[in-house]
Amino acid sequence: MTPLTPDAPVRLASAHGHRSYLTIADALRDAADGDEIRIAPGRYEESLRLTGQVTLTAAAVAGEGADPAGGPPPGAGVTLAAPAADRPALEVLPGARPTLRGVTVHGAAADRPAVLLAGGATDWTGGGVRQGRLEVRGDAALRMADAVLSGAALAGVLLRTTGAVRLTGCLVADTAGTGLVAGGATRVELVRTEIRAAAGSGVRVREDARAVLRGCLIDRPGRSGLLTEDRAAALLTDCRIRDTGGEAVRALGSSPLPDPDPAETTHTGHTTDTAGATAITGATGGVVLHGCELTGAAADAIGVTGPAQLRATASTLRDCAGSGVAAGDGARVLLAAVTVLRTGASALGAHGSAQLAAREVTVRDAATNGLLATGTAAVDLTDSELTGCRYSAVHLGERTRATLTRVRAGGTPEHGVHVVGEAALTLTDTRLADCGMSGLDVAGAARAEATGLAVTRCVNGVTAGSDGPLRLTDCEVTDAERAGITLGPGDTEVSGGRILRPGTAGLVFATGATARVTDTEIREPTGSGLVVAGEATPRARGVRVLRPGKNGLILDGGGAGVFEDVEIVRPGFPAVHLAERAAPELRRILVRDAAEDLSAEPGARPEVEDCVSVRVKSARWPAPETAEGTPRGLPEGLPAGPGPGQPPPSEGAAGPQEAVAAEESLEDLLGELDRLVGLARVKQDVASLVKLMRTVQRRESAGLAAPPLSRHLVFAGNPGTGKTTVARLYGRILAAVGLLERGHLVEADRSSLVGEYVGHTGPKTQRVFQEAMGGVLFIDEAYSLAPAHGGGGNDFAQEAIATLVKLMEDHRDSVVVIVAGYPTEMEHFIDSNPGLSSRFNRTLMFEDYDTEELLRIVERHAASHQYDLTDAARATLTGYFELLPRDGRFGNGRSARQVFQAMTERQAYRVSEIENPSESELMTLSELDVPELPEPPR
């Protein structure tokens, strides 16, 4: 074979032999489909138009042709330079199918196309484009690999084609404009491609184009890393966008996100991880990021406005000057397993009419809020954590609507959650801790509903100055520096829950408050338990105030309201104090272990009914045996206290543990356990455990060695069988017998223990365990930490188990751990780790409730809410529960509670048709109020 020489730098290889040429154009004129043109290294000032199926290869200097592997030989370099500015150096015309290897095209002007692909299908490896852009139009298709494109103006790559475009291992650099622009109906895929130092955006996708980026890097663009507009779609997987002059990702418009498969959707409406993995196979709609890292943006990491829709999963956003995610008017944003670190503005923002749904999101060190919502935005935040924010962790304003479920927030100098304007908030099983102001603050005309809220170590627990409604159900406020809960003049209601060790007062009713409080416990406030300001008229029923530093109940001048079935134990000041002009109704107040039950200034006008005192030194109210009848709410078997004028037990005679025993004796607690519906085996097991523990204590008191005793338990049973209720009682029982310091309950699940990245799980688990010190750590659905078939488990979950096992060993006498879940799954969980099987050697089985027990649960709910069931209603309910399917939707006690609620609603509709209903009609639940059986799922 004749080598290439300066006199013959181009050789045409065909089926008819080899011919040499001085120019590439000469060789092209003689080339047939399938021929190869081998070109010696050098610069060729030619404008080529490719029409057939020909290969252009950069040959070796020695003339041995292309590398056997198909790429250019090492050191080869062929530059095709445009001789004039009015034409590209290389054009591919419709129908052509050229192959280029090691060819670099140099355009005549940076702002004009150096390469124009007007049709056909081009396969290009090595080489690239210098000065001038690569433009793909019409129906042209392109596969380019290992090429460098640099020095263009306006755009480095401009795509407007119906053909497929794929760039693999390429570099687009130093563009005085946008790195890559895709418009029209383009479908482009970038794999392991880098776009560096574009003066404009890195990638711009507009109109109906679709772009897929896999394993790519967009570095130092002057504007956005990725910009989408119109009806475009973009999918980025395992990509990095860093040090952008604007937003890392900016979506001004997009096509709609595809609807998730209903079978792969969680209860919050977000797609599961499986659905997310399925979605990354192609850019089917919207803007989708999976496994991406966005760092160093000079504006927002992700900005979505207008009609754009974006989903980000398993991604990290950090060190941006603006927000981590900013959803503007009309935007829809879905986040899952996203970490947002060190933002210059709010970590998450939703404004205008934006919709933001996020789960398993971690926010840390935001310069302002963790979540900020304004306008009419709708926010759904689930299983997420927001800490280290300089402003309130969550701020909701104007007319926003937000739902927070299993969220942890705190570590802020302001509020944990701040709700103002006309915003509406629903909180479920959320924990707020270490806030410099209030854990939850509701103001303006905002409305909020919280169930299972826990507020810990905040300056104020919950403050409500709102005119809108506030509902707090089964909430707990612990170690507030000031007041536990402060309620203003709005429509507020507190039911269930506890306020533990508040720094000043337990529950404060501000001026004008008309709040309703039921079944709430206030324990060890430094000041008073219930504080009523002037002109406040609250209603409190079933409240227990234990060991207040000052009064159990105090009313300022002009304060009023109704207080019934209230118990005050061991107050530091008179149990009830009334200032001048205070006019409350006091019904069935029980005072125990106090120096004085009631002190009233001149002009106070209380109405007192059936109030009693036990072991009160200076008693104005009678002891139980001298009162007429037994007051409602007085525990059966309560020992007789001293009569008026008889001294109570001397102050300071009993230590802290004796004080606990006085307020909650073991017999009372076991009686409370026995009064629970059903659970015969559980009651027997707990009673046996108590006997065993007391025997161990007696042996220790006698100086004998204590036998091995594990207090940790497995609660196995279906949902709604009372596992959490018994766990809470178990802790109180252990405190009563002196085996736990406090006996409080801390509830946790997988999301509370398992972190999202390396190094996160251990501290997260330790933090929850620390909250349970002196009490019970109750881990519901514990089997999710070690699933039987591996689904959902990971090394992080195993780390959580290992951390728990070590903490249980290090603090064996300070914390009791109870793990709960379905029986079969719990067996697998205990067997999954030797440390678990050695520490959990006792299982309590919670049986499903039978028909009679379900009926008793409904009857108890009815009695506690002042309803009466007719015999016909009981008979109809019996038939209802007999026929109720015991399938996956059956919730045992929860189902019974739901049936009772449905009956009260139906009764309310029925009675509303009566013009003047009697008291009996208002209280009676009949067979007409029993709901229909649910239809079986289709």
Side-chain angles (χ1 to χ4, degrees):
M1 182 183 299
T2 304
L4 295 172
T5 67
D7 294 330
V10 181
R11 183 171 58 246
L12 173 63
S14 68
H16 305 291
H18 302 272
R19 284 172 286 176
S20 298
Y21 299 88
L22 290 175
T23 67
I24 304 171
D26 290 342
L28 281 172
R29 278 193 295 271
D30 292 344
D33 286 348
D35 288 351
E36 179 183 19
I37 298 174
R38 298 176 181 176
I39 310 167
R43 180 183 177 89
Y44 299 81
E45 293 192 2
E46 303 184 47
S47 291
L48 303 181
R49 306 185 76 189
L50 306 183
T51 58
Q53 185 174 344
V54 66
T55 299
L56 302 182
T57 302
V61 175
E64 294 304 319
D67 186 283
V78 170
T79 299
L80 178 64
D86 60 343
R87 288 190 59 185
L90 176 67
E91 290 185 70
V92 176
L93 301 183
R97 300 184 64 84
T99 299
L100 284 75
R101 295 176 179 168
V103 175
T104 298
V105 177
H106 195 288
D111 60 350
R112 298 184 64 82
V115 176
L116 176 60
L117 308 183
T122 301
D123 190 338
W124 193 336
T125 303
V129 180
R130 306 289 172 87
Q131 186 171 300
R133 65 179 174 270
L134 167 64
E135 190 167 322
V136 185
R137 292 188 171 275
D139 61 353
L142 170 65
R143 286 194 309 171
M144 176 176 273
D146 305 320
V148 176
L149 303 96
S150 64
L154 302 181
V157 179
L158 178 60
L159 308 175
R160 193 178 184 86
T161 178
T162 58
V165 178
R166 179 184 175 98
L167 276 61
T168 303
C170 295
L171 171 64
V172 181
D174 301 320
T175 306
T178 305
L180 182 147
V181 179
T186 297
R187 302 294 185 267
V188 58
E189 182 175 11
L190 308 182
V191 180
R192 299 186 308 281
T193 289
E194 298 183 7
I195 299 177
R196 294 180 178 270
S201 297
V203 174
R204 181 182 182 186
V205 190
R206 54 179 308 188
E207 297 171 327
D208 295 300
R210 301 286 187 267
V212 176
L213 284 71
R214 305 183 192 277
C216 294
L217 168 66
I218 302 176
D219 184 35
R220 292 174 291 118
R223 295 182 182 175
S224 303
L226 169 68
L227 171 64
T228 67
E229 299 171 283
D230 306 318
R231 299 161 303 281
L235 167 65
L236 281 68
T237 64
D238 302 319
C239 292
R240 292 174 295 156
I241 303 177
R242 65 191 186 196
D243 299 335
T244 57
E247 299 87 347
V249 174
R250 187 184 187 193
L252 299 179
S254 77
S255 58
L257 286 167
D259 291 330
D261 184 341
E264 296 175 333
T265 302
T266 68
H267 67 282
T268 60
H270 307 139
T271 55
T272 64
D273 290 341
T274 302
T278 302
I280 66 172
T281 57
T284 56
V287 181
V288 178
L289 285 72
H290 180 79
C292 294
E293 184 176 27
L294 314 182
T295 62
D300 303 326
I302 296 176
V304 187
T305 56
Q309 300 187 10
L310 178 143
R311 176 187 292 121
T313 59
S315 296
T316 298
L317 322 176
R318 58 182 175 87
D319 300 310
C320 60
S323 295
V325 176
D329 198 31
R332 180 183 176 218
V333 177
L334 307 179
L335 307 175
V338 171
T339 299
V340 186
L341 306 175
R342 297 183 297 276
T343 57
S346 300
L348 306 176
H351 311 287
S353 59
Q355 300 178 49
L356 172 63
R359 64 178 177 85
E360 297 178 18
V361 170
T362 299
V363 168
R364 290 185 178 172
D365 301 328
T368 58
N369 305 106
L371 167 64
L372 172 65
T374 60
T376 59
V379 177
D380 186 345
L381 187 63
T382 304
D383 293 325
S384 297
E385 183 174 1
L386 300 86
T387 58
C389 307
R390 295 184 189 174
Y391 295 176
S392 298
V394 176
H395 180 96
L396 308 174
E398 299 182 15
R399 290 179 291 127
T400 56
R401 295 172 291 110
T403 299
L404 275 59
T405 305
R406 295 184 299 280
V407 171
R408 292 182 173 226
T412 168
E414 296 193 356
H415 302 293
V417 177
H418 193 203
V419 194
V420 299
E422 300 178 33
L425 168 67
T426 300
L427 281 171
T428 304
D429 297 335
T430 288
R431 299 189 177 191
L432 309 175
D434 302 309
C435 302
M437 293 182 178
S438 300
L440 170 63
D441 181 74
V442 185
R447 55 190 187 277
E449 182 174 340
T451 302
L453 170 67
V455 181
T456 306
R457 298 183 302 275
C458 299
V459 171
N460 296 293
V462 177
T463 50
S466 168
D467 295 330
L470 170 67
R471 302 288 181 268
L472 301 176
T473 305
D474 295 330
C475 298
E476 182 171 283
V477 178
T478 305
D479 296 325
E481 182 179 323
R482 297 177 186 169
I485 298 177
T486 301
L487 303 177
D491 177 15
T492 57
E493 183 174 343
V494 179
S495 61
R498 301 195 301 171
I499 304 172
L500 307 179
R501 301 180 299 280
T504 54
L507 206 159
V508 177
F509 301 97
T511 301
T514 60
R516 301 175 300 283
V517 179
T518 58
D519 302 327
T520 298
E521 179 177 281
I522 303 171
R523 186 186 291 263
E524 300 177 7
T526 302
S528 298
L530 298 169
V531 177
V532 183
E535 312 308 323
T537 56
R539 189 179 191 100
R541 178 172 57 84
V543 177
R544 297 186 75 212
V545 182
L546 307 177
R547 296 196 301 277
K550 296 183 179 179
N551 308 105
L553 166 64
I554 180 171
L555 282 83
D556 287 344
V562 178
F563 304 87
E564 52 190 0
D565 300 318
V566 174
E567 182 180 6
I568 301 172
V569 178
R570 206 178 180 85
F573 288 15
V576 179
H577 178 77
L578 308 178
E580 184 181 3
R581 296 184 298 106
E585 298 178 32
L586 307 177
R587 301 172 183 166
R588 299 180 298 281
I589 308 297
L590 168 63
V591 177
R592 292 198 288 164
D593 302 318
E596 188 177 356
D597 51 12
L598 174 65
S599 68
E601 297 179 7
R605 304 183 307 277
E607 294 184 17
V608 180
E609 178 183 337
D610 292 338
C611 296
V612 296
S613 297
V614 177
R615 297 188 295 276
V616 174
K617 182 176 181 180
S618 178
R620 300 176 64 173
W621 297 334
E625 66 271 23
T626 64
E628 295 182 5
T630 300
R632 210 173 119 197
L634 189 63
E636 295 181 8
L638 185 70
Q646 292 181 317
S650 59
E651 291 294 329
Q657 186 57 50
E658 287 76 12
V660 172
E663 74 188 49
E664 287 196 326
S665 70
L666 178 61
E667 289 71 19
D668 288 345
L669 291 170
L670 290 176
E672 186 175 341
L673 174 65
D674 189 60
R675 287 192 292 274
L676 296 177
V677 175
L679 306 177
R681 289 178 56 184
V682 172
K683 295 172 184 175
Q684 182 178 353
D685 289 342
V686 172
S688 299
L689 278 171
V690 171
K691 292 178 182 177
L692 176 61
M693 293 171 190
R694 302 193 84 170
T695 300
V696 170
Q697 284 183 313
R698 292 189 182 103
R699 285 181 60 87
E700 291 177 333
S701 299
L704 301 174
L709 173 64
S710 175
R711 298 174 295 175
H712 309 300
L713 298 175
V714 178
F715 282 9
N718 291 323
T721 49
K723 296 187 291 294
T724 306
T725 300
V726 174
R728 185 172 285 109
L729 264 173
Y730 185 63
R732 293 162 60 195
I733 288 171
L734 293 181
V737 299
L739 290 177
L740 283 179
E741 180 182 354
R742 294 167 57 191
H744 66 294
L745 184 78
V746 172
E747 297 183 56
D749 56 17
R750 176 187 169 89
S751 66
S752 309
L753 305 173
V754 179
E756 290 80 15
Y757 50 85
V758 175
H760 189 205
T761 295
K764 198 171 183 181
T765 303
Q766 290 172 3
R767 185 164 58 250
V768 175
F769 196 91
Q770 186 64 36
E771 291 179 17
M773 292 293 284
V776 174
L777 175 59
F778 180 77
I779 305 175
D780 200 9
E781 297 181 354
Y783 52 80
S784 64
L785 297 173
H789 303 293
N794 56 30
D795 291 338
F796 296 163
Q798 292 301 317
E799 182 184 352
I801 293 175
T803 304
L804 274 174
V805 169
K806 184 178 187 305
L807 290 170
M808 291 166 67
E809 179 63 26
D810 294 345
H811 305 280
R812 64 172 70 93
D813 296 326
S814 301
V815 175
V816 168
V817 179
I818 298 176
V819 292
Y822 294 105
T824 302
E825 286 84 347
M826 291 307 298
E827 288 182 14
H828 170 80
F829 169 69
I830 297 302
D831 293 340
S832 68
N833 185 294
L836 294 176
S837 57
S838 65
R839 287 165 177 81
F840 293 99
N841 52 26
R842 186 182 296 269
T843 299
L844 272 60
M845 292 298 301
F846 287 71
E847 306 288 349
D848 287 345
Y849 292 115
D850 60 25
T851 296
E852 181 181 350
E853 291 166 342
L854 292 171
L855 179 59
R856 287 172 57 196
I857 292 173
V858 173
E859 290 176 326
R860 289 198 175 186
H861 281 297
S864 67
H865 290 82
Q866 297 182 304
Y867 285 97
D868 294 325
L869 270 69
T870 65
D871 292 340
R874 291 185 179 88
T876 304
L877 269 175
T878 299
Y880 177 92
F881 287 130
E882 287 286 352
L883 297 175
L884 185 65
R886 305 298 174 99
D887 53 17
R889 297 188 297 171
F890 177 64
N892 281 289
R894 190 177 303 120
S895 293
R897 184 172 63 250
Q898 291 168 349
V899 169
F900 168 70
Q901 182 177 348
M903 291 180 69
T904 60
E905 292 173 357
R906 293 166 67 96
Q907 187 252 21
Y909 290 132
R910 179 170 55 80
V911 173
S912 67
E913 301 296 326
I914 303 173
E915 184 173 352
N916 293 305
S918 65
E919 180 177 338
S920 174
E921 288 171 323
L922 291 170
M923 297 176 61
T924 299
L925 297 175
S926 75
E927 71 277 9
L928 300 175
D929 303 319
V930 178
E932 295 82 10
L933 284 167
E935 295 184 5
R938 298 179 179 177

